[in-house]
Amino acid sequence: MSTLSKRIREARLRTGLSQERLGIRIGIDPASARARMNRYELGKRVPDLELVERLAEELDLPAAYFHAVRDDEAELLVKFHRLSDAAREQVMVFLSEAFVAP
């Protein structure tokens, strides 16, 4: 199972949506929604970038989440994505101060 297929499955399960329902919500034809989502989750097919972006929007996730290899990076992306603009600014200031170039 690829990282992308794993992340799609994890994100869908967290929302409690069926494969069919999620597929329909992101614009896949209802007649093939379950089958296509199943293939994406099994890694038998790879969704194009536009579909990944629609998944991200529907599931309130950053598109980069689906490509993050490490679980901690994926979780960090999700948390950062859900911060307010002011909180994001604070995080960026903290990171700028924490990492001084060698």
Side-chain angles (χ1 to χ4, degrees), residues 17-67:
L17 292 171
S18 67
Q19 290 174 334
E20 180 179 28
R21 191 76 213 131
L22 178 57
I24 292 168
R25 288 173 75 163
I26 62 170
I28 297 174
D29 182 275
S32 62
R34 189 202 62 75
R36 280 187 56 192
M37 290 306 301
N38 187 51
R39 288 185 195 112
Y40 295 142
E41 289 185 12
L42 292 174
K44 292 183 179 184
R45 290 193 64 185
V46 178
D48 61 27
L49 183 57
E50 181 184 332
L51 189 79
V52 172
E53 289 173 354
R54 290 196 319 251
L55 278 167
E57 185 175 331
E58 181 62 36
L59 298 170
D60 189 27
L61 295 167
Y65 164 82
F66 294 101
H67 302 286

